[in-house]
Amino acid sequence: MPRDFFADWLITERLALRRFTLDDLEWFVDFYADEEVTRYLGGTRDRQKATELLHTRVLAYYDEHPGMGIWLTRERATGQPVGFHLINHIQGETLVQVGYGLLKSAWGKGYATEMAAAVLRYGFVDLQLPLIVGITNLPNVASQRVLEKIGLRRQADRFFRHPAYASQGPMAYFERYAEDWLREHKAR
């Protein structure tokens, strides 16, 4: 990651990631107010809960886990925020996950796959993580397809005890070991 933490640091053909800041609070609150967008992200959150999430799970996480976190995803052509991508610990676990959340206007454009693939590569190549996983709600077939497209492999469904996930029941669970992923991508 660059020294200027507020600059775009991971760039794909159409998207760029940058750190969230307190200036993004209104966008973050609006994102978590959308029932359809947050259906598989734990549901909507009022302003107080969204603000708390931004402070604890996003901003504080940057310092607690250097190189990892949840980043604002922007369209390069317009500069407009379209969602977020992440590589962070599943709450209550030592497992590191790749994930994302997108505004409805960004659905169906391939943005989830485009940037999630870049984040996965970053995790294996730059962070040298030995294993990266992905989880999603069982009915969220679209996200399951994204996780498969970026190279994660479906495993048995898995239950997570942390309150952020427990009410969801079993989750679709995907994983990939670095050794396997690096071998496959070196051959290309």
Side-chain angles (χ1 to χ4, degrees), residues 134-150:
I135 60 173
T136 186
N137 299 70
L138 290 174
N140 191 352
V141 176
S143 283
Q144 291 175 42
R145 281 195 297 263
V146 168
L147 295 175
E148 288 172 339
K149 283 181 192 176
I150 67 169

Side-chain angles (χ1 to χ4, degrees), residues 47-84:
R47 181 177 192 79
Q48 180 181 344
K49 290 192 187 302
T51 301
E52 182 181 310
L53 180 67
L54 180 64
H55 283 280
T56 60
R57 187 76 174 139
V58 180
L59 300 178
Y61 195 89
Y62 294 136
D63 292 329
E64 294 166 4
H65 303 278
M68 297 198 306
I70 301 173
W71 301 284
L72 184 77
T73 307
R74 299 181 321 102
E75 282 182 325
R76 290 180 63 200
T78 65
Q80 291 300 305
V82 295
F84 61 79

Side-chain angles (χ1 to χ4, degrees), residues 14 21-23 32 36 50-51 56 64 79-80 99 101 119 132 140 144 170-171 184:
R14 300 178 297 163
T21 70
L22 287 176
D23 292 339
Y32 274 97
E36 199 170 354
T51 301
T56 60
E64 294 166 4
Q80 291 300 305
V119 171
I132 298 174
N140 191 352
Q144 291 175 42
M171 306 284 280
E184 179 181 313

Side-chain angles (χ1 to χ4, degrees), residues 119-135:
V119 171
L120 184 69
R121 182 187 185 289
Y122 166 73
F124 284 140
V125 174
D126 297 307
L127 297 179
Q128 299 182 348
L129 296 169
L131 171 71
I132 298 174
V133 306
I135 60 173

Side-chain angles (χ1 to χ4, degrees), residues 1-2 4 6-19 71-77 85 111 113-122 126:
M1 286 183 69
D4 180 0
F6 307 107
D8 293 336
W9 69 271
L10 186 58
I11 297 170
T12 64
E13 182 180 341
R14 300 178 297 163
L15 303 170
L17 294 185
R18 72 161 172 79
R19 277 187 173 206
W71 301 284
L72 184 77
T73 307
R74 299 181 321 102
E75 282 182 325
R76 290 180 63 200
H85 280 76
Y111 288 171
T113 303
E114 181 178 326
M115 186 55 81
V119 171
L120 184 69
R121 182 187 185 289
Y122 166 73
D126 297 307

Side-chain angles (χ1 to χ4, degrees), residues 83-175:
F84 61 79
H85 280 76
L86 62 88
I87 191 161
N88 67 8
H89 292 89
I90 293 175
Q91 294 180 75
E93 302 282 333
T94 59
L95 296 168
V96 173
Q97 68 177 333
V98 64
Y100 63 91
L102 295 174
L103 295 172
K104 208 165 25 174
S105 62
W107 293 358
K109 296 182 178 181
Y111 288 171
T113 303
E114 181 178 326
M115 186 55 81
V119 171
L120 184 69
R121 182 187 185 289
Y122 166 73
F124 284 140
V125 174
D126 297 307
L127 297 179
Q128 299 182 348
L129 296 169
L131 171 71
I132 298 174
V133 306
I135 60 173
T136 186
N137 299 70
L138 290 174
N140 191 352
V141 176
S143 283
Q144 291 175 42
R145 281 195 297 263
V146 168
L147 295 175
E148 288 172 339
K149 283 181 192 176
I150 67 169
L152 297 185
R153 300 215 171 109
R154 179 77 183 260
Q155 306 297 312
D157 297 345
R158 188 165 172 174
F159 180 81
F160 294 91
R161 295 187 187 282
H162 191 278
Y165 315 107
S167 66
Q168 308 298 318
M171 306 284 280
Y173 176 76
F174 298 77
E175 68 181 24

